[in-house]
Amino acid sequence: MQTVLKIGTRASQLAMAQAHEARARLMAAHGLPEEAFEIVPITTTGDRIQNRPLSEAGGKGLFTKELEEALYGLDIDIAVHSSKDMPTETPEGLVLSAFLPREDVRDVFIGRSVKAIADLPQGARLGSSSLRRQALIRRMRPDLEVVMFRGNVQTRLRKLEEGVAEGTMLALAGLRRLGMEHVAGEIMALDIFPPAPGQGAICIESRAADSAVSEMVAAINHADTEHALTCERAFLAALDGSCRTPIAGHAVIADGRIAFKGVILRPDGSEWHEIAAEGDMADAARIGHDAGMEVRGRAGEGFFAGWS
């Protein structure tokens, strides 16, 4: 059968699992066989850089640049992304055209010999490359030595086995999509360890002018996830959020209403400011933006000094 849609994705196991989920949903929505959808793996700059934090190499766009170039070049029709990797501004001519139903947003701790962060010995090394996770870890356990931990899920688990650190943090959603939930130790409570904006959600990016593709992917869009992420991304944008800023945010939709909680932290976890807001889900973007501006005003510009 002729290919109907080319699906671009990063080449990691988790990214491929997410692309397969998108394909399965498209197959079900349109009654088409697997061979109608070609998955095209693409290695991004973010995948190649393993020796330093993304904040030092250029930020979130490092995971999307090559996929977006493939969209511009008509080499793929859609790109499947982890929503938390997406910059708040979408390049001209491209749109986030669908969001899949969200997985669990929580983080998990995985230890070499202990099941919980509280059980780590004084001064133990805990590996993470996320500034949000690093700041939250330091807020919980300022005695721990936080070390940089880059790589995909399998790479991080291997580093753990090799003793690079005594523990690490991963997203529960990714472990579930890989069928690896059994490796999780402590599942972190949301009030103690809030997630990154967009965590647990898969999004689809496509060309704005390609109405046929937009119509196809609209069939698998999950409206509640779209509204929640609209709020979270607006919060990020108001704070000029990137990989250089420890920011957490989570929106929940219920009965047409949206409830949002966000927090900004100093990288060392010594100070933080929290915000909560709610309203009609149709006002998701405004709620997120206003929450970001309010928490920014509370913290003061001095709070952000040295972030970039």
Side-chain angles (χ1 to χ4, degrees):
M1 180 179 178
Q2 184 178 0
T3 299
V4 175
L5 208 67
K6 289 188 176 182
I7 302 171
T9 175
R10 290 167 59 196
S12 72
Q13 283 183 249
L14 177 55
M16 291 292 287
Q18 294 179 163
H20 280 89
E21 180 179 336
R23 179 174 66 182
R25 292 182 182 277
L26 286 164
M27 287 165 56
H30 299 288
L32 290 169
E34 187 175 294
E35 54 266 29
F37 303 94
E38 180 187 351
I39 292 179
V40 183
I42 296 170
T43 300
T44 68
T45 303
D47 295 312
R48 288 191 289 267
I49 297 172
Q50 298 291 319
N51 60 349
R52 62 191 193 277
L54 291 181
S55 57
E56 296 177 7
K60 290 186 177 184
L62 296 173
F63 283 131
T64 61
K65 179 174 176 284
E66 283 81 1
L67 288 163
E68 288 169 343
E69 287 173 351
L71 282 169
Y72 283 132
L74 308 183
D75 297 315
I76 58 174
D77 299 302
I78 64 173
V80 178
H81 301 285
S82 294
S83 296
K84 72 175 181 179
D85 291 337
M86 300 302 289
T88 53
E89 292 187 12
T90 306
E92 185 177 355
L94 302 180
V95 291
L96 298 186
S97 47
F99 295 88
L100 305 190
R102 197 173 202 172
E103 247 291 0
D104 198 307
V105 302
R106 292 175 294 176
D107 286 301
V108 300
F109 167 78
I110 303 171
R112 289 184 72 209
S113 57
V114 298
K115 292 290 188 182
I117 289 181
D119 297 331
L120 285 170
Q122 189 88 1
R125 287 176 298 175
L126 203 161
S128 177
S129 61
S130 157
L131 290 190
R132 172 189 62 89
R133 286 174 179 152
Q134 289 177 0
L136 291 169
I137 291 163
R138 288 170 174 141
R139 181 172 74 166
M140 288 181 68
R141 288 284 307 269
D143 62 290
L144 296 178
E145 179 187 353
V146 181
V147 297
M148 208 270 287
F149 229 48
R150 281 292 319 283
N152 59 33
V153 171
Q154 291 76 14
T155 299
R156 296 186 206 191
L157 293 177
R158 188 186 70 245
K159 287 181 178 180
L160 202 58
E161 290 176 7
E162 292 170 352
V164 177
E166 292 302 313
T168 189
M169 310 296 299
L170 290 171
L172 179 56
L175 294 177
R176 284 186 170 173
R177 290 186 175 119
L178 289 168
M180 296 175 62
E181 188 177 355
H182 62 279
V183 307
E186 178 182 16
I187 298 177
M188 308 305 295
L190 290 174
D191 58 338
I192 295 172
F193 218 89
Q199 185 154 310
I202 297 168
C203 67
I204 292 176
E205 187 177 25
S206 59
R207 293 179 291 273
D210 200 330
S211 57
V213 170
S214 296
E215 188 175 337
M216 280 198 80
V217 299
I220 63 170
N221 184 54
H222 189 253
D224 282 1
T225 301
E226 179 183 10
H227 283 104
L229 266 69
T230 296
C231 180
E232 292 170 20
R233 287 170 57 78
F235 179 70
L236 259 185
L239 291 163
D240 192 27
S242 71
C243 284
R244 296 183 296 275
T245 57
I247 299 173
H250 181 217
V252 177
I253 309 291
D255 300 322
R257 302 279 294 174
I258 188 165
F260 173 78
K261 290 184 178 179
V263 60
I264 58 175
L265 304 99
R266 287 195 184 275
D268 64 2
S270 63
E271 181 185 349
W272 60 90
H273 297 272
E274 296 174 324
I275 185 80
E278 60 180 89
D280 192 282
M281 70 179 187
D283 296 324
R286 179 190 58 77
I287 292 166
H289 175 268
D290 290 355
M293 296 305 292
E294 182 175 340
V295 79
R296 183 170 201 129
R298 283 189 208 165
E301 291 306 311
F303 181 84
F304 298 87
W307 278 24
S308 59

